[in-house]
Amino acid sequence: MKRNKLGLAVLYIILGAWALTTIYPLFWVLENSFKAKDKILNNSFALPVGDLFTLANYKRAFDRLDILHAYINSIFISACVTIGVMMLAGLASFALVRFDFKLKRFCHTMVIAAMMFPVFSTIIPVYTMETSWHITNTSSWILNMVSVILPQVAGNISFAIIVLMGYVQSLPLELEEAAHLEGCSIPQIFFRIVVPLGKPSFVTVAIFSFLWSYNDLFTQMFFLRRPEMQAITRLLNELTSKEGTNYGLMASAVTLVIIPVIVVYIFLQKYIIKGMTAGAVKG
């Protein structure tokens, strides 16, 4: 009994130390965002109290950067990507698990193979294709947003299908057969049985899709070149190139960027483990 308690205490200490190494960089950026530029180099690890405390960095960030519009662009792109990935991946995973058709094995292989190709290897043909559609770098806000949304959906959908296929395979087939005997159509079975029961898996897909889209810079560098169309990560990149030595302004901008990410993770993180383990054990 004592050995078990000692082992548990050691485990908690190790996990606590590991958590501190993860949390402290965020805390360090936050505290330095409240310090003046000339105070950070000499007092970077000191708490921002007394003469060290200032809100000038945040005021300057809002004065010099169009943060509100960048937030709107980022949230719109990420929300559309999340919804698109959830819908397409959910329907595809349901079809690949529950239906038999000639190209089923081929489609499953292509889904897995798609995960082997990073966005860096496909960006040139994707950009060329979207340019031929006249939706890149135009004066239309919605077309510019669509030009980013499409490749991000394509880049996230393979992972989402694999996750959701594991969940659909774990569902008892008898539930769907019973619903079919009661007169439910295939769409009704999917939306009334599969989706509600698969809430943890769908939320997991939503979280990862949202975070990947929100943090994506590479795609935005190609498709969001107009200043008024920039999303928040592209705006931060522009700030870094112009104000590389102003660490206070950079820290405040980074803090503003990561706030939505932290909020999303805090409120939805309980679903991540549930969703990733759904389908691991049948029955």
Side-chain angles (χ1 to χ4, degrees):
M1 194 70 177
K2 290 183 178 180
R3 282 186 176 181
N4 291 337
K5 289 184 178 180
L6 180 61
L8 192 60
V10 172
L11 179 61
Y12 281 141
I13 292 173
I14 295 174
L15 293 177
W18 182 264
L20 287 175
T21 61
T22 305
I23 296 173
Y24 184 75
L26 299 176
F27 176 75
W28 184 84
V29 171
L30 177 62
E31 69 171 2
N32 280 292
S33 67
F34 293 104
K35 298 176 186 175
K37 173 183 176 181
D38 57 339
K39 301 290 181 63
I40 293 177
L41 294 178
N42 296 326
N43 300 281
S44 60
F45 294 100
L47 293 176
V49 294
D51 295 336
L52 291 178
F53 182 83
T54 180
L55 294 174
N57 293 322
Y58 287 96
K59 185 177 183 302
R60 189 175 183 185
F62 279 99
D63 289 342
R64 298 195 57 179
L65 305 175
D66 194 0
I67 293 177
L68 179 59
H69 282 88
Y71 264 132
I72 293 173
N73 294 341
S74 287
I75 298 300
F76 179 81
I77 292 171
S78 300
C80 290
V81 170
T82 301
I83 295 171
V85 169
M86 289 175 63
M87 289 296 299
L88 294 176
L91 293 170
S93 61
F94 182 66
L96 288 172
V97 172
R98 291 294 189 239
F99 294 91
D100 290 322
F101 48 93
K102 290 184 178 180
L103 297 178
K104 178 178 179 178
R105 187 181 297 273
F106 174 77
C107 292
H108 187 214
T109 303
M110 289 297 99
V111 169
I112 298 175
M115 298 181 65
M116 302 172 61
F117 295 94
V119 65
F120 312 103
S121 63
T122 60
I123 193 65
I124 294 178
V126 168
Y127 182 81
T128 303
M129 179 177 61
E130 291 196 0
T131 301
S132 66
W133 296 346
H134 306 290
I135 64 174
T136 60
N137 298 317
T138 67
S139 58
S140 172
W141 179 82
I142 190 64
L143 289 180
N144 279 276
M145 298 300 105
V146 169
S147 69
V148 178
I149 291 169
L150 292 178
Q152 287 189 353
V153 169
N156 290 322
I157 197 168
S158 297
F159 168 80
I161 291 175
I162 297 299
V163 172
L164 293 177
M165 281 183 64
Y167 151 71
V168 176
Q169 287 174 343
S170 69
L171 280 180
L173 186 59
E174 291 78 9
L175 285 174
E176 298 169 32
E177 291 176 342
H180 182 69
L181 291 175
E182 292 293 331
C184 289
S185 62
I186 298 300
Q188 288 175 327
I189 291 174
F190 177 76
F191 287 106
R192 294 185 179 182
I193 296 177
V194 176
V195 174
L197 292 178
K199 182 179 177 181
S201 293
F202 279 95
V203 172
T204 298
V205 168
I207 292 172
F208 281 106
S209 299
F210 182 89
L211 296 182
W212 283 342
S213 174
Y214 184 85
N215 292 324
D216 177 56
L217 174 63
F218 183 78
T219 307
Q220 296 177 16
M221 293 289 289
F222 279 83
F223 298 106
L224 298 181
R225 297 188 178 184
R226 292 173 175 263
E228 67 275 13
M229 306 291 181
Q230 290 179 353
I232 197 71
T233 50
R234 179 68 195 275
L235 196 69
L236 177 62
N237 184 70
E238 294 289 330
L239 176 67
T240 303
S241 61
K242 294 178 181 178
E243 301 281 350
T245 58
N246 193 340
Y247 301 113
L249 181 60
M250 290 177 59
S252 62
V254 169
T255 301
L256 292 171
V257 169
I258 65 175
I259 286 175
V261 176
I262 294 175
V263 170
V264 168
Y265 186 80
I266 288 175
F267 284 98
L268 299 178
Q269 54 95 14
K270 66 179 181 179
Y271 292 104
I272 293 180
I273 302 301
K274 290 182 181 179
M276 295 300 290
T277 56
V281 179
K282 292 188 177 183

